[in-house]
Amino acid sequence: MDIAQIFKNNQNWVQTKLKVEPDYFTELSKGQTPDILYIGCSDSRVSAEELMGIAPGEAFVLRNIANMVPNTDLSVMSVINYAVEHLKVNHIVVCGHYYCGGVQAAMKSGDLGILNPWLRNIRDVYRTHRDELNKIEDEESRYKRLVELNVQEQCINVIKTAEVQKAQRDRDLTVHGWVFDVHSGGLIDLNIDFKKLLQNIMEIYRLDLADPIKQEK
Ligand code: CO
């Protein structure tokens, strides 16, 4: 990788943008009003903006190994908080991808050091859906299905957060589960029934959003 070339590319990009719109960066510097929070994989082949065909300023983005939303991960929880409560996004996307190295590693039992606790979250998804997954004989198909089920489970983790539950009562916030097929370049909507999912888990995760201190009186 020629690092110097990156800076040349950047200057070319600046000039291209300015040619089309002289105020482009002046406008960009005024602030961001993205409508989408995109949570995707760090995989270098799975870009965020490029595969969605959107411009800087249109999506708030978090990428980590295997597009995970662990309940105790401060990074992802802060991103969700900021996107929902401050940026007021109306869409949250969890985008997985086939041929995901993180999901593949979780299906094997190798010791991967610091990656172990991270990947264990994916093994938990496997355990939750063990019956369905074990029925799939073809290993590649089973692996692809785990990618999809992992997206679904991470969407559920998004839905469980207090921020999303609160926003659901005030406005039309939707959670989407997608998969990017690296082999075709296509984006697949898993058509997760977000409202139904929400109903099914609310008896367990529902938060009473009234002020807990006031309630005690
Ligand atoms: Co991946």
Side-chain angles (χ1 to χ4, degrees):
M1 173 72 70
D2 181 358
I3 298 296
Q5 185 61 43
I6 287 176
F7 286 86
K8 286 180 204 156
N9 294 348
N10 169 258
Q11 277 314 305
N12 289 338
W13 174 72
V14 169
Q15 294 313 320
T16 311
K17 287 284 180 195
L18 292 177
K19 232 178 258 171
V20 180
E21 204 184 322
D23 293 335
Y24 185 78
F25 294 102
T26 314
E27 288 301 316
L28 210 55
S29 66
K30 285 180 183 164
Q32 58 168 337
T33 52
D35 197 33
I36 300 178
L37 163 59
Y38 170 96
I39 300 170
C41 184
S42 297
D43 192 303
S44 59
R45 301 164 296 177
V46 189
S47 67
E49 288 86 352
E50 195 172 339
L51 71 87
M52 291 190 281
I54 60 171
E58 290 190 89
F60 200 60
V61 172
L62 177 82
R63 292 169 65 182
N64 62 32
I65 293 174
N67 40 271
M68 301 303 287
V69 184
N71 297 307
T72 52
D73 182 64
L74 196 53
S75 172
V76 68
M77 289 302 139
S78 304
V79 164
I80 291 173
N81 179 286
Y82 191 70
V84 173
E85 297 209 333
H86 300 277
L87 297 172
K88 310 261 183 228
V89 298
N90 286 308
H91 302 275
I92 301 180
V93 169
V94 176
C95 185
H97 69 103
Y98 296 141
Y99 312 99
C100 181
V103 173
Q104 205 164 31
M107 282 178 80
K108 294 171 182 154
S109 46
D111 180 356
L112 294 164
I114 190 66
L115 280 174
N116 290 336
W118 190 261
L119 298 178
R120 211 174 293 137
N121 292 304
I122 308 174
R123 291 188 182 135
D124 289 342
V125 174
Y126 197 109
R127 179 171 49 80
T128 308
H129 297 276
R130 180 169 35 188
D131 292 346
E132 180 187 339
L133 288 164
N134 282 349
K135 274 185 204 144
I136 306 171
E137 282 178 23
D138 176 54
E139 200 181 336
E140 191 175 323
S141 306
R142 193 173 350 121
Y143 159 45
K144 281 185 162 179
R145 185 62 187 142
L146 181 56
V147 166
E148 296 169 1
L149 290 169
N150 184 45
V151 167
Q152 183 181 308
E153 289 300 322
Q154 303 320 311
C155 284
I156 290 173
N157 283 344
V158 169
I159 293 164
K160 288 191 294 196
T161 64
E163 290 86 345
V164 172
Q165 290 192 35
K166 248 186 272 181
Q168 264 296 302
R169 296 173 196 197
D170 306 336
R171 65 178 199 269
D172 198 17
L173 172 70
T174 317
V175 178
H176 310 264
W178 297 350
V179 170
F180 176 69
D181 185 0
V182 182
H183 199 258
S184 69
L187 203 50
I188 300 156
D189 189 346
L190 295 178
N191 288 313
I192 292 170
D193 190 341
F194 167 61
K195 293 261 150 69
K196 196 174 151 200
L197 216 56
L198 195 72
Q199 262 174 6
N200 286 348
I201 64 165
M202 272 307 114
E203 60 167 334
I204 303 167
Y205 297 107
R206 196 182 72 84
L207 292 182
D208 190 342
L209 299 167
D211 185 338
I213 296 167
K214 262 187 200 161
Q215 251 182 341
E216 278 170 21
K217 284 177 188 168

PDB file of all heavy atoms in Angstrom, residues 63-96:
ATOM      1  N   ARG A  63     -18.340  -0.101  12.553  1.00  0.00           N
ATOM      2  CA  ARG A  63     -17.948  -1.400  12.013  1.00  0.00           C
ATOM      3  C   ARG A  63     -17.076  -2.113  13.029  1.00  0.00           C
ATOM      4  O   ARG A  63     -16.180  -1.510  13.622  1.00  0.00           O
ATOM      5  CB  ARG A  63     -17.217  -1.223  10.673  1.00  0.00           C
ATOM      6  CG  ARG A  63     -18.149  -0.718   9.576  1.00  0.00           C
ATOM      7  CD  ARG A  63     -17.408  -0.280   8.328  1.00  0.00           C
ATOM      8  NE  ARG A  63     -16.717  -1.397   7.669  1.00  0.00           N
ATOM      9  CZ  ARG A  63     -15.965  -1.234   6.568  1.00  0.00           C
ATOM     10  NH1 ARG A  63     -15.815  -0.044   6.027  1.00  0.00           N
ATOM     11  NH2 ARG A  63     -15.368  -2.268   6.019  1.00  0.00           N
ATOM     12  N   ASN A  64     -17.368  -3.382  13.260  1.00  0.00           N
ATOM     13  CA  ASN A  64     -16.511  -4.207  14.118  1.00  0.00           C
ATOM     14  C   ASN A  64     -16.493  -5.621  13.546  1.00  0.00           C
ATOM     15  O   ASN A  64     -17.189  -5.904  12.563  1.00  0.00           O
ATOM     16  CB  ASN A  64     -16.984  -4.154  15.576  1.00  0.00           C
ATOM     17  CG  ASN A  64     -18.389  -4.698  15.785  1.00  0.00           C
ATOM     18  OD1 ASN A  64     -18.835  -5.612  15.087  1.00  0.00           O
ATOM     19  ND2 ASN A  64     -19.109  -4.142  16.745  1.00  0.00           N
ATOM     20  N   ILE A  65     -15.734  -6.509  14.160  1.00  0.00           N
ATOM     21  CA  ILE A  65     -15.644  -7.871  13.637  1.00  0.00           C
ATOM     22  C   ILE A  65     -17.008  -8.559  13.745  1.00  0.00           C
ATOM     23  O   ILE A  65     -17.580  -8.665  14.834  1.00  0.00           O
ATOM     24  CB  ILE A  65     -14.556  -8.682  14.381  1.00  0.00           C
ATOM     25  CG1 ILE A  65     -13.173  -8.093  14.057  1.00  0.00           C
ATOM     26  CG2 ILE A  65     -14.625 -10.167  14.012  1.00  0.00           C
ATOM     27  CD1 ILE A  65     -12.034  -8.712  14.837  1.00  0.00           C
ATOM     28  N   ALA A  66     -17.539  -8.938  12.609  1.00  0.00           N
ATOM     29  CA  ALA A  66     -18.803  -9.686  12.489  1.00  0.00           C
ATOM     30  C   ALA A  66     -20.046  -8.882  12.904  1.00  0.00           C
ATOM     31  O   ALA A  66     -21.024  -9.465  13.353  1.00  0.00           O
ATOM     32  CB  ALA A  66     -18.738 -11.017  13.225  1.00  0.00           C
ATOM     33  N   ASN A  67     -19.977  -7.558  12.739  1.00  0.00           N
ATOM     34  CA  ASN A  67     -21.145  -6.683  12.980  1.00  0.00           C
ATOM     35  C   ASN A  67     -21.924  -7.065  14.242  1.00  0.00           C
ATOM     36  O   ASN A  67     -23.119  -7.342  14.190  1.00  0.00           O
ATOM     37  CB  ASN A  67     -22.087  -6.657  11.759  1.00  0.00           C
ATOM     38  CG  ASN A  67     -22.265  -8.009  11.087  1.00  0.00           C
ATOM     39  OD1 ASN A  67     -21.502  -8.387  10.181  1.00  0.00           O
ATOM     40  ND2 ASN A  67     -23.243  -8.762  11.552  1.00  0.00           N
ATOM     41  N   MET A  68     -21.209  -7.054  15.359  1.00  0.00           N
ATOM     42  CA  MET A  68     -21.809  -7.473  16.625  1.00  0.00           C
ATOM     43  C   MET A  68     -22.383  -6.294  17.426  1.00  0.00           C
ATOM     44  O   MET A  68     -21.888  -5.175  17.342  1.00  0.00           O
ATOM     45  CB  MET A  68     -20.749  -8.176  17.481  1.00  0.00           C
ATOM     46  CG  MET A  68     -20.124  -9.404  16.836  1.00  0.00           C
ATOM     47  SD  MET A  68     -21.336 -10.643  16.362  1.00  0.00           S
ATOM     48  CE  MET A  68     -21.767 -11.279  17.981  1.00  0.00           C
ATOM     49  N   VAL A  69     -23.403  -6.603  18.225  1.00  0.00           N
ATOM     50  CA  VAL A  69     -23.987  -5.609  19.132  1.00  0.00           C
ATOM     51  C   VAL A  69     -24.032  -6.218  20.540  1.00  0.00           C
ATOM     52  O   VAL A  69     -25.109  -6.468  21.082  1.00  0.00           O
ATOM     53  CB  VAL A  69     -25.400  -5.181  18.650  1.00  0.00           C
ATOM     54  CG1 VAL A  69     -25.970  -4.069  19.535  1.00  0.00           C
ATOM     55  CG2 VAL A  69     -25.373  -4.721  17.195  1.00  0.00           C
ATOM     56  N   PRO A  70     -22.855  -6.493  21.139  1.00  0.00           N
ATOM     57  CA  PRO A  70     -22.870  -7.079  22.493  1.00  0.00           C
ATOM     58  C   PRO A  70     -23.419  -6.066  23.495  1.00  0.00           C
ATOM     59  O   PRO A  70     -23.108  -4.878  23.420  1.00  0.00           O
ATOM     60  CB  PRO A  70     -21.379  -7.360  22.768  1.00  0.00           C
ATOM     61  CG  PRO A  70     -20.703  -7.304  21.438  1.00  0.00           C
ATOM     62  CD  PRO A  70     -21.491  -6.319  20.626  1.00  0.00           C
ATOM     63  N   ASN A  71     -24.245  -6.575  24.399  1.00  0.00           N
ATOM     64  CA  ASN A  71     -24.946  -5.682  25.334  1.00  0.00           C
ATOM     65  C   ASN A  71     -24.015  -4.871  26.228  1.00  0.00           C
ATOM     66  O   ASN A  71     -24.398  -3.829  26.745  1.00  0.00           O
ATOM     67  CB  ASN A  71     -25.892  -6.509  26.213  1.00  0.00           C
ATOM     68  CG  ASN A  71     -26.959  -7.185  25.388  1.00  0.00           C
ATOM     69  OD1 ASN A  71     -27.648  -6.538  24.608  1.00  0.00           O
ATOM     70  ND2 ASN A  71     -27.090  -8.489  25.536  1.00  0.00           N
ATOM     71  N   THR A  72     -22.806  -5.379  26.445  1.00  0.00           N
ATOM     72  CA  THR A  72     -21.897  -4.676  27.355  1.00  0.00           C
ATOM     73  C   THR A  72     -20.766  -3.959  26.616  1.00  0.00           C
ATOM     74  O   THR A  72     -19.836  -3.462  27.247  1.00  0.00           O
ATOM     75  CB  THR A  72     -21.270  -5.667  28.365  1.00  0.00           C
ATOM     76  OG1 THR A  72     -20.700  -6.744  27.624  1.00  0.00           O
ATOM     77  CG2 THR A  72     -22.299  -6.190  29.338  1.00  0.00           C
ATOM     78  N   ASP A  73     -20.853  -3.909  25.290  1.00  0.00           N
ATOM     79  CA  ASP A  73     -19.786  -3.233  24.534  1.00  0.00           C
ATOM     80  C   ASP A  73     -20.045  -1.726  24.538  1.00  0.00           C
ATOM     81  O   ASP A  73     -21.029  -1.246  23.965  1.00  0.00           O
ATOM     82  CB  ASP A  73     -19.742  -3.778  23.106  1.00  0.00           C
ATOM     83  CG  ASP A  73     -18.620  -3.130  22.305  1.00  0.00           C
ATOM     84  OD1 ASP A  73     -17.451  -3.320  22.673  1.00  0.00           O
ATOM     85  OD2 ASP A  73     -18.917  -2.411  21.343  1.00  0.00           O
ATOM     86  N   LEU A  74     -19.150  -1.000  25.199  1.00  0.00           N
ATOM     87  CA  LEU A  74     -19.346   0.439  25.386  1.00  0.00           C
ATOM     88  C   LEU A  74     -19.337   1.187  24.052  1.00  0.00           C
ATOM     89  O   LEU A  74     -20.047   2.178  23.881  1.00  0.00           O
ATOM     90  CB  LEU A  74     -18.245   0.967  26.315  1.00  0.00           C
ATOM     91  CG  LEU A  74     -18.470   2.343  26.934  1.00  0.00           C
ATOM     92  CD1 LEU A  74     -19.818   2.417  27.644  1.00  0.00           C
ATOM     93  CD2 LEU A  74     -17.341   2.663  27.899  1.00  0.00           C
ATOM     94  N   SER A  75     -18.542   0.703  23.118  1.00  0.00           N
ATOM     95  CA  SER A  75     -18.448   1.370  21.826  1.00  0.00           C
ATOM     96  C   SER A  75     -19.787   1.329  21.084  1.00  0.00           C
ATOM     97  O   SER A  75     -20.345   2.360  20.708  1.00  0.00           O
ATOM     98  CB  SER A  75     -17.347   0.704  20.987  1.00  0.00           C
ATOM     99  OG  SER A  75     -17.364   1.221  19.687  1.00  0.00           O
ATOM    100  N   VAL A  76     -20.321   0.136  20.907  1.00  0.00           N
ATOM    101  CA  VAL A  76     -21.571   0.030  20.154  1.00  0.00           C
ATOM    102  C   VAL A  76     -22.745   0.659  20.917  1.00  0.00           C
ATOM    103  O   VAL A  76     -23.607   1.311  20.322  1.00  0.00           O
ATOM    104  CB  VAL A  76     -21.860  -1.429  19.698  1.00  0.00           C
ATOM    105  CG1 VAL A  76     -22.170  -2.350  20.833  1.00  0.00           C
ATOM    106  CG2 VAL A  76     -23.008  -1.458  18.689  1.00  0.00           C
ATOM    107  N   MET A  77     -22.756   0.523  22.245  1.00  0.00           N
ATOM    108  CA  MET A  77     -23.851   1.113  23.025  1.00  0.00           C
ATOM    109  C   MET A  77     -23.808   2.648  22.958  1.00  0.00           C
ATOM    110  O   MET A  77     -24.837   3.303  22.900  1.00  0.00           O
ATOM    111  CB  MET A  77     -23.797   0.626  24.483  1.00  0.00           C
ATOM    112  CG  MET A  77     -24.183  -0.831  24.638  1.00  0.00           C
ATOM    113  SD  MET A  77     -25.864  -1.177  24.016  1.00  0.00           S
ATOM    114  CE  MET A  77     -25.606  -2.750  23.184  1.00  0.00           C
ATOM    115  N   SER A  78     -22.595   3.223  22.942  1.00  0.00           N
ATOM    116  CA  SER A  78     -22.466   4.681  22.823  1.00  0.00           C
ATOM    117  C   SER A  78     -22.921   5.154  21.453  1.00  0.00           C
ATOM    118  O   SER A  78     -23.577   6.192  21.316  1.00  0.00           O
ATOM    119  CB  SER A  78     -21.013   5.112  23.038  1.00  0.00           C
ATOM    120  OG  SER A  78     -20.553   4.654  24.273  1.00  0.00           O
ATOM    121  N   VAL A  79     -22.565   4.390  20.426  1.00  0.00           N
ATOM    122  CA  VAL A  79     -22.957   4.744  19.055  1.00  0.00           C
ATOM    123  C   VAL A  79     -24.483   4.731  18.927  1.00  0.00           C
ATOM    124  O   VAL A  79     -25.084   5.639  18.353  1.00  0.00           O
ATOM    125  CB  VAL A  79     -22.283   3.782  18.036  1.00  0.00           C
ATOM    126  CG1 VAL A  79     -22.959   3.856  16.679  1.00  0.00           C
ATOM    127  CG2 VAL A  79     -20.803   4.120  17.903  1.00  0.00           C
ATOM    128  N   ILE A  80     -25.121   3.700  19.481  1.00  0.00           N
ATOM    129  CA  ILE A  80     -26.587   3.612  19.411  1.00  0.00           C
ATOM    130  C   ILE A  80     -27.207   4.786  20.176  1.00  0.00           C
ATOM    131  O   ILE A  80     -28.121   5.458  19.698  1.00  0.00           O
ATOM    132  CB  ILE A  80     -27.101   2.258  19.962  1.00  0.00           C
ATOM    133  CG1 ILE A  80     -26.708   1.115  19.008  1.00  0.00           C
ATOM    134  CG2 ILE A  80     -28.620   2.286  20.164  1.00  0.00           C
ATOM    135  CD1 ILE A  80     -27.008  -0.277  19.526  1.00  0.00           C
ATOM    136  N   ASN A  81     -26.676   5.059  21.359  1.00  0.00           N
ATOM    137  CA  ASN A  81     -27.196   6.162  22.159  1.00  0.00           C
ATOM    138  C   ASN A  81     -27.124   7.477  21.390  1.00  0.00           C
ATOM    139  O   ASN A  81     -28.105   8.208  21.292  1.00  0.00           O
ATOM    140  CB  ASN A  81     -26.414   6.267  23.477  1.00  0.00           C
ATOM    141  CG  ASN A  81     -26.897   7.417  24.338  1.00  0.00           C
ATOM    142  OD1 ASN A  81     -26.621   8.585  24.032  1.00  0.00           O
ATOM    143  ND2 ASN A  81     -27.640   7.112  25.379  1.00  0.00           N
ATOM    144  N   TYR A  82     -25.950   7.748  20.834  1.00  0.00           N
ATOM    145  CA  TYR A  82     -25.761   9.023  20.130  1.00  0.00           C
ATOM    146  C   TYR A  82     -26.641   9.110  18.874  1.00  0.00           C
ATOM    147  O   TYR A  82     -27.269  10.138  18.619  1.00  0.00           O
ATOM    148  CB  TYR A  82     -24.286   9.217  19.768  1.00  0.00           C
ATOM    149  CG  TYR A  82     -24.000  10.616  19.274  1.00  0.00           C
ATOM    150  CD1 TYR A  82     -24.040  11.701  20.157  1.00  0.00           C
ATOM    151  CD2 TYR A  82     -23.753  10.867  17.928  1.00  0.00           C
ATOM    152  CE1 TYR A  82     -23.816  12.988  19.710  1.00  0.00           C
ATOM    153  CE2 TYR A  82     -23.527  12.157  17.477  1.00  0.00           C
ATOM    154  CZ  TYR A  82     -23.560  13.210  18.368  1.00  0.00           C
ATOM    155  OH  TYR A  82     -23.349  14.484  17.930  1.00  0.00           O
ATOM    156  N   ALA A  83     -26.690   8.014  18.132  1.00  0.00           N
ATOM    157  CA  ALA A  83     -27.458   8.015  16.884  1.00  0.00           C
ATOM    158  C   ALA A  83     -28.954   8.190  17.133  1.00  0.00           C
ATOM    159  O   ALA A  83     -29.628   8.930  16.425  1.00  0.00           O
ATOM    160  CB  ALA A  83     -27.213   6.716  16.124  1.00  0.00           C
ATOM    161  N   VAL A  84     -29.457   7.521  18.177  1.00  0.00           N
ATOM    162  CA  VAL A  84     -30.905   7.538  18.418  1.00  0.00           C
ATOM    163  C   VAL A  84     -31.330   8.800  19.171  1.00  0.00           C
ATOM    164  O   VAL A  84     -32.289   9.467  18.796  1.00  0.00           O
ATOM    165  CB  VAL A  84     -31.346   6.266  19.178  1.00  0.00           C
ATOM    166  CG1 VAL A  84     -32.817   6.344  19.585  1.00  0.00           C
ATOM    167  CG2 VAL A  84     -31.100   5.028  18.317  1.00  0.00           C
ATOM    168  N   GLU A  85     -30.586   9.136  20.235  1.00  0.00           N
ATOM    169  CA  GLU A  85     -31.041  10.243  21.082  1.00  0.00           C
ATOM    170  C   GLU A  85     -30.619  11.611  20.583  1.00  0.00           C
ATOM    171  O   GLU A  85     -31.315  12.592  20.818  1.00  0.00           O
ATOM    172  CB  GLU A  85     -30.548  10.022  22.513  1.00  0.00           C
ATOM    173  CG  GLU A  85     -31.169   8.753  23.097  1.00  0.00           C
ATOM    174  CD  GLU A  85     -31.348   8.787  24.599  1.00  0.00           C
ATOM    175  OE1 GLU A  85     -30.584   9.495  25.270  1.00  0.00           O
ATOM    176  OE2 GLU A  85     -32.257   8.089  25.073  1.00  0.00           O
ATOM    177  N   HIS A  86     -29.483  11.693  19.904  1.00  0.00           N
ATOM    178  CA  HIS A  86     -28.994  13.004  19.475  1.00  0.00           C
ATOM    179  C   HIS A  86     -29.160  13.244  17.978  1.00  0.00           C
ATOM    180  O   HIS A  86     -29.634  14.288  17.563  1.00  0.00           O
ATOM    181  CB  HIS A  86     -27.550  13.211  19.940  1.00  0.00           C
ATOM    182  CG  HIS A  86     -27.429  13.134  21.433  1.00  0.00           C
ATOM    183  ND1 HIS A  86     -27.694  14.205  22.257  1.00  0.00           N
ATOM    184  CD2 HIS A  86     -27.136  12.088  22.252  1.00  0.00           C
ATOM    185  CE1 HIS A  86     -27.551  13.827  23.520  1.00  0.00           C
ATOM    186  NE2 HIS A  86     -27.210  12.546  23.549  1.00  0.00           N
ATOM    187  N   LEU A  87     -28.754  12.269  17.180  1.00  0.00           N
ATOM    188  CA  LEU A  87     -28.895  12.447  15.726  1.00  0.00           C
ATOM    189  C   LEU A  87     -30.310  12.145  15.264  1.00  0.00           C
ATOM    190  O   LEU A  87     -30.704  12.528  14.165  1.00  0.00           O
ATOM    191  CB  LEU A  87     -27.889  11.549  14.979  1.00  0.00           C
ATOM    192  CG  LEU A  87     -26.411  11.844  15.230  1.00  0.00           C
ATOM    193  CD1 LEU A  87     -25.540  10.766  14.601  1.00  0.00           C
ATOM    194  CD2 LEU A  87     -26.023  13.218  14.692  1.00  0.00           C
ATOM    195  N   LYS A  88     -31.066  11.448  16.102  1.00  0.00           N
ATOM    196  CA  LYS A  88     -32.475  11.103  15.812  1.00  0.00           C
ATOM    197  C   LYS A  88     -32.637  10.342  14.502  1.00  0.00           C
ATOM    198  O   LYS A  88     -33.506  10.678  13.685  1.00  0.00           O
ATOM    199  CB  LYS A  88     -33.350  12.374  15.795  1.00  0.00           C
ATOM    200  CG  LYS A  88     -33.178  13.282  17.007  1.00  0.00           C
ATOM    201  CD  LYS A  88     -34.289  13.058  18.019  1.00  0.00           C
ATOM    202  CE  LYS A  88     -34.173  13.998  19.209  1.00  0.00           C
ATOM    203  NZ  LYS A  88     -34.307  13.308  20.486  1.00  0.00           N
ATOM    204  N   VAL A  89     -31.776   9.350  14.284  1.00  0.00           N
ATOM    205  CA  VAL A  89     -31.931   8.536  13.073  1.00  0.00           C
ATOM    206  C   VAL A  89     -33.262   7.799  13.115  1.00  0.00           C
ATOM    207  O   VAL A  89     -33.791   7.503  14.187  1.00  0.00           O
ATOM    208  CB  VAL A  89     -30.780   7.509  12.919  1.00  0.00           C
ATOM    209  CG1 VAL A  89     -29.428   8.192  12.783  1.00  0.00           C
ATOM    210  CG2 VAL A  89     -30.763   6.503  14.062  1.00  0.00           C
ATOM    211  N   ASN A  90     -33.812   7.530  11.947  1.00  0.00           N
ATOM    212  CA  ASN A  90     -35.067   6.784  11.875  1.00  0.00           C
ATOM    213  C   ASN A  90     -34.871   5.337  11.435  1.00  0.00           C
ATOM    214  O   ASN A  90     -35.823   4.561  11.411  1.00  0.00           O
ATOM    215  CB  ASN A  90     -36.045   7.486  10.937  1.00  0.00           C
ATOM    216  CG  ASN A  90     -36.615   8.742  11.575  1.00  0.00           C
ATOM    217  OD1 ASN A  90     -37.118   8.703  12.701  1.00  0.00           O
ATOM    218  ND2 ASN A  90     -36.502   9.859  10.883  1.00  0.00           N
ATOM    219  N   HIS A  91     -33.633   5.004  11.050  1.00  0.00           N
ATOM    220  CA  HIS A  91     -33.337   3.631  10.618  1.00  0.00           C
ATOM    221  C   HIS A  91     -32.045   3.144  11.268  1.00  0.00           C
ATOM    222  O   HIS A  91     -31.057   3.871  11.281  1.00  0.00           O
ATOM    223  CB  HIS A  91     -33.171   3.555   9.096  1.00  0.00           C
ATOM    224  CG  HIS A  91     -34.380   4.022   8.350  1.00  0.00           C
ATOM    225  ND1 HIS A  91     -35.443   3.179   8.072  1.00  0.00           N
ATOM    226  CD2 HIS A  91     -34.711   5.246   7.856  1.00  0.00           C
ATOM    227  CE1 HIS A  91     -36.372   3.878   7.422  1.00  0.00           C
ATOM    228  NE2 HIS A  91     -35.951   5.124   7.286  1.00  0.00           N
ATOM    229  N   ILE A  92     -32.084   1.917  11.777  1.00  0.00           N
ATOM    230  CA  ILE A  92     -30.853   1.279  12.251  1.00  0.00           C
ATOM    231  C   ILE A  92     -30.682  -0.008  11.441  1.00  0.00           C
ATOM    232  O   ILE A  92     -31.583  -0.848  11.396  1.00  0.00           O
ATOM    233  CB  ILE A  92     -30.898   0.959  13.757  1.00  0.00           C
ATOM    234  CG1 ILE A  92     -31.117   2.251  14.575  1.00  0.00           C
ATOM    235  CG2 ILE A  92     -29.602   0.260  14.191  1.00  0.00           C
ATOM    236  CD1 ILE A  92     -31.168   2.046  16.076  1.00  0.00           C
ATOM    237  N   VAL A  93     -29.540  -0.123  10.791  1.00  0.00           N
ATOM    238  CA  VAL A  93     -29.262  -1.285   9.960  1.00  0.00           C
ATOM    239  C   VAL A  93     -28.158  -2.114  10.607  1.00  0.00           C
ATOM    240  O   VAL A  93     -27.130  -1.568  11.004  1.00  0.00           O
ATOM    241  CB  VAL A  93     -28.772  -0.841   8.561  1.00  0.00           C
ATOM    242  CG1 VAL A  93     -28.226  -2.030   7.785  1.00  0.00           C
ATOM    243  CG2 VAL A  93     -29.872  -0.140   7.798  1.00  0.00           C
ATOM    244  N   VAL A  94     -28.386  -3.418  10.725  1.00  0.00           N
ATOM    245  CA  VAL A  94     -27.280  -4.328  11.034  1.00  0.00           C
ATOM    246  C   VAL A  94     -27.027  -5.089   9.742  1.00  0.00           C
ATOM    247  O   VAL A  94     -27.919  -5.760   9.221  1.00  0.00           O
ATOM    248  CB  VAL A  94     -27.607  -5.310  12.184  1.00  0.00           C
ATOM    249  CG1 VAL A  94     -26.451  -6.295  12.378  1.00  0.00           C
ATOM    250  CG2 VAL A  94     -27.886  -4.557  13.483  1.00  0.00           C
ATOM    251  N   CYS A  95     -25.824  -4.914   9.188  1.00  0.00           N
ATOM    252  CA  CYS A  95     -25.508  -5.532   7.909  1.00  0.00           C
ATOM    253  C   CYS A  95     -24.387  -6.557   8.063  1.00  0.00           C
ATOM    254  O   CYS A  95     -23.250  -6.202   8.341  1.00  0.00           O
ATOM    255  CB  CYS A  95     -25.122  -4.458   6.889  1.00  0.00           C
ATOM    256  SG  CYS A  95     -24.842  -5.130   5.238  1.00  0.00           S
ATOM    257  N   GLY A  96     -24.735  -7.820   7.901  1.00  0.00           N
ATOM    258  CA  GLY A  96     -23.727  -8.889   7.909  1.00  0.00           C
ATOM    259  C   GLY A  96     -23.274  -9.162   6.493  1.00  0.00           C
ATOM    260  O   GLY A  96     -23.691  -8.474   5.553  1.00  0.00           O
TER     261      GLY A  96
END
